[in-house]
Amino acid sequence: RIYYLSLEFYMGRTLQNTMVNLGLQNACDEAIYQLGLDLEELEEIEEDAGLGNGGLGRLAACFLDSMATLGLAAYAAYGYGIRYEFGIFNQKIVDGWQVEEADDWLRYGNPWEKARPEYMLPVHFYGRLDHTPEGVRWVDTQVVLAMPYDTPVPGYKNNTVNTMRLWSAKAPNDFNLQEFNVGDYIEAVLDRNLAENISRVLYPNDNFFEGKELRLKQEYFVVAATLQDIIRRFKSSKFGCRDPVRTCFETFPDKVAIQLNDTHPALSIPELMRILVDVEKVDWDKAWEIRPPAPYPNHTVLPEALERWPVSMFEKLLPRHLEIIYALNQMHLD
C-alpha cells in the first residue's frame, strides 16, 4: 500500500473531473440538457476545495490522480491530509487592491466526502514522560480526536478508485455541562474550540516562516493519526506473522510505502519510531531497521521558508519525540 502525506491537497472542483474519469461526461451533459439545464452552469455552483496554497498542494492533488490512473497498488494508494474548515482565502479586488475573504467552503456541506467515525483516533499533546523498566510511557497528555473524512479519487477509465482521507480535529469532551450550569457559557465550549482550531484554517504560504505552535500541532496531528491508521491496516492484513501475543513487523517495509510532500510531515519518522518502540514494544535497532523509508521532495531551499522550531516549544508539545530526535541525531553523528 502507498501512503502519500501532505499538509495540502488543492483538489479544486470534483464534478467535472469525476465525470471525465468515469467516462460519463457526454451522457451527463445530454441528460442535463434534456432537463433544460446547462451542465457548465451547474459545475460553476460547486465550491472549490481549496485546501492548498498553490504549487505544493496542486502537485499533491495531481499525484492522487496519477496514482489512481496508473493503478499503482490498485485500490490501495491513499492520500492523507487535513480537512481544513477554511481553505485558501477568496480573492476580491477592491479599488485595484487585493482583499482576502475567508473561504467557508464547507458552508453547505461537501457531497463528495463520507465521514468515517468508526475510524476516529486519539492524538496526544503535551504531558510528561515516565521512564520505566518496561519502556517509556507518555502520560498526562491532552487528547484531540482525529475524525477521518474519505473522498474517492477515480482513475481515468480504468475502474480504479483510490481514497483521500482528510482528518478533522474533534474535542473529546465537547461541552462542559457543569460550567454551563453555573453560568459560565464561554468556558463551557472553550476547550472544544481550542482543540478544534487544529483543523480550522489552512496556513498561508510559508514564503516567510515564523515558528507557530498551531502549525506544529497541525503537522503532528496529521502524522500521528495517519501512522496509527497505517499500522492498524497492516495489523489487520494477512501479511503479519501469526504471533498470538503481538504483531510481527518483519514484512512492514515490504508492504508499506510512505511518501512525504516536503518536510511538513517530517515528524513521521520519530512518530513511527515512537509507535514501534513504545507501543508495539519492538527493539530500537530493529525498529530503525524495519521502518519504511519516507522520501520527500524539497519545494524550496530558501532558509527563510524552512520550518524551524524552538526546542522549548517542541519539548513542551512533544517531549517523547524530542528524545527520539536526539537519539537519531546521535546515531547519525556516530
Side-chain angles (χ1 to χ4, degrees), residues 86-142:
F86 295 92
I88 189 65
F89 59 83
N90 286 321
Q91 182 193 59
K92 295 281 190 294
I93 304 297
V94 179
D95 297 328
W97 295 91
Q98 172 175 290
V99 176
E100 300 91 10
E101 293 183 351
D103 173 29
D104 191 5
W105 73 289
L106 291 172
R107 185 189 298 109
Y108 303 116
N110 176 12
W112 300 103
E113 70 183 9
K114 177 173 174 55
R116 303 301 298 270
E118 67 271 29
Y119 293 120
M120 191 150 57
L121 294 165
V123 176
H124 299 264
F125 296 99
Y126 304 109
R128 59 183 178 81
L129 301 178
D130 269 354
H131 292 267
T132 70
E134 290 76 41
V136 180
R137 294 172 62 239
W138 187 15
V139 297
D140 298 337
T141 57
Q142 289 184 14

Side-chain angles (χ1 to χ4, degrees), residues 69-300:
T69 295
L70 293 171
L72 299 183
Y75 304 105
Y78 302 83
Y80 276 96
I82 294 180
R83 180 182 178 266
Y84 300 104
E85 193 175 321
F86 295 92
I88 189 65
F89 59 83
N90 286 321
Q91 182 193 59
K92 295 281 190 294
I93 304 297
V94 179
D95 297 328
W97 295 91
Q98 172 175 290
V99 176
E100 300 91 10
E101 293 183 351
D103 173 29
D104 191 5
W105 73 289
L106 291 172
R107 185 189 298 109
Y108 303 116
N110 176 12
W112 300 103
E113 70 183 9
K114 177 173 174 55
R116 303 301 298 270
E118 67 271 29
Y119 293 120
M120 191 150 57
L121 294 165
V123 176
H124 299 264
F125 296 99
Y126 304 109
R128 59 183 178 81
L129 301 178
D130 269 354
H131 292 267
T132 70
E134 290 76 41
V136 180
R137 294 172 62 239
W138 187 15
V139 297
D140 298 337
T141 57
Q142 289 184 14
V143 177
V144 176
L145 298 177
M147 164 83 122
Y149 289 80
D150 288 354
T151 300
V153 181
Y156 181 68
K157 296 183 179 180
N158 66 350
N159 207 32
T160 294
V161 181
N162 289 337
T163 301
M164 177 178 67
R165 175 163 286 187
L166 301 181
W167 301 102
S168 181
K170 304 290 181 188
N173 299 310
D174 62 346
F175 195 83
N176 191 321
L177 189 61
Q178 186 177 358
E179 287 175 343
F180 184 84
N181 285 338
V182 297
D184 196 344
Y185 307 112
I186 303 301
E187 194 66 34
V189 294
L190 184 61
D191 287 346
R192 185 190 71 177
N193 289 338
L194 287 174
E196 296 182 357
N197 279 343
I198 291 174
S199 59
R200 192 80 72 197
V201 65
L202 170 73
Y203 265 87
N205 210 6
D206 299 332
N207 286 336
F208 182 79
F209 186 80
E210 300 171 20
K212 295 185 179 72
E213 188 171 354
L214 182 57
R215 174 72 167 191
L216 183 54
K217 280 185 175 179
Q218 286 183 335
E219 295 186 1
Y220 179 65
F221 175 75
V222 68
V223 159
T226 299
L227 283 171
Q228 286 183 78
D229 216 30
I230 290 172
I231 288 177
R232 172 195 61 79
R233 204 174 274 122
F234 173 79
K235 289 171 75 170
S236 66
S237 72
K238 60 181 181 294
F239 299 118
C241 66
R242 295 302 176 186
D243 187 314
V245 179
R246 60 190 181 91
T247 303
C248 296
F249 284 90
E250 301 293 334
T251 59
F252 193 58
D254 302 320
K255 301 301 179 183
V256 172
I258 296 172
Q259 173 77 24
L260 311 181
N261 194 14
D262 209 289
T263 55
H264 304 148
L267 281 165
S268 297
I269 291 93
E271 172 65 3
L272 184 54
M273 290 296 288
R274 184 191 73 82
I275 294 173
L276 291 174
V277 174
D278 295 354
V279 180
E280 300 294 341
K281 305 302 180 186
V282 178
D283 175 74
W284 172 274
D285 292 331
K286 188 67 179 174
W288 185 248
E289 180 188 328
I290 64 171
R291 130 208 89 79
Y296 69 93
N298 228 146
H299 291 278
T300 180

